[in-house]
């Protein structure tokens, strides 16, 4: 093997490594790849861990909003987080007569900005350890950082931890959380 063949082989290997790194940059959610060129809804529907959230977004009529230009930051609770709510809560919220209440719950986890975790962490630090995040639903989430994890406290005093951060979307970012954030009703 001559020198130019070795250099070519190394270049191909480096290109392949860079391609894998680029693909691995966005974490999988619910076993599904999340693509930066797809919007929040297009990606979320593929996550087996977010079927309840997707059903709720559809029931509230928010699909077209979350498919919109954005940017949006969505703190997305898993199915497990919804299951931890008191028995019957999800079923009650999904009823057509409770659409306004469901919309409030959902929009209190959406921020009209593209807020990556390092940006949120900087705001927390700049504000002395706690930062108020105003959601599009009018709610205020209290963000803190502890042991490298961002936590959010809702208006009811419940706290959710960001378990998967910085899942880039074409119209914003998703941060997976382990609890359902609730507004004052």
């Amino acid at each position: 093997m001559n020198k130019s063949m070795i250099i070519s082989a190394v270049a191909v290997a480096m290109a392949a490594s860079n391609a894998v790194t680029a693909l691995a940059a966005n974490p999988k959610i619910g076993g599904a790849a999340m693509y930066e060129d797809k919007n929040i809804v297009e990606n979320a529907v593929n996550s087996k861990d977010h079927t309840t959230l997707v059903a709720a977004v559809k029931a509230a009529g928010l699909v077209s909003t979350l498919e919109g230009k954005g940017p949006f930051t969505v703190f997305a609770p898993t199915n497990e987080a919804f299951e931890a709510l008191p028995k019957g809560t999800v079923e009650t919220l999904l009823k057509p007569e409770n659409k306004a209440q469901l919309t409030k719950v959902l929009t209190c986890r959406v921020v009209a900005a593209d807020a990556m975790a390092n940006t949120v962490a900087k705001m927390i630090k700049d504000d002395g350890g706690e930062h108020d995040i105003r959601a599009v639903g009018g709610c205020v989430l209290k963000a803190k950082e502890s042991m490298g994890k961002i936590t959010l406290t809702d208006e009811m005093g419940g706290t959710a931890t960001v378990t998967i951060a910085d899942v880039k979307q074409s119209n914003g970012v998703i941060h997976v959380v382990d609890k359902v954030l609730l507004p004052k009703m």
Side-chain angles (χ1 to χ4, degrees), residues 30 42 56 72 89 95 97 131 145 166:
E42 289 171 326
F72 302 109
T89 301
K95 291 180 179 177
E97 63 267 24
H131 177 73
E145 188 175 15
D166 297 340

Side-chain angles (χ1 to χ4, degrees), residues 9-53:
V10 169
V12 168
M14 287 176 67
S17 173
N18 288 341
V20 169
T21 301
L23 290 175
N26 228 7
K28 286 186 173 186
I29 297 180
M34 298 287 118
Y35 300 102
E36 290 184 45
D37 63 342
K38 293 190 178 211
N39 67 49
I40 290 166
V41 174
E42 289 171 326
N43 275 321
V45 298
N46 294 316
S47 169
K48 67 176 173 54
D49 291 344
H50 291 89
T51 56
T52 304
L53 178 61

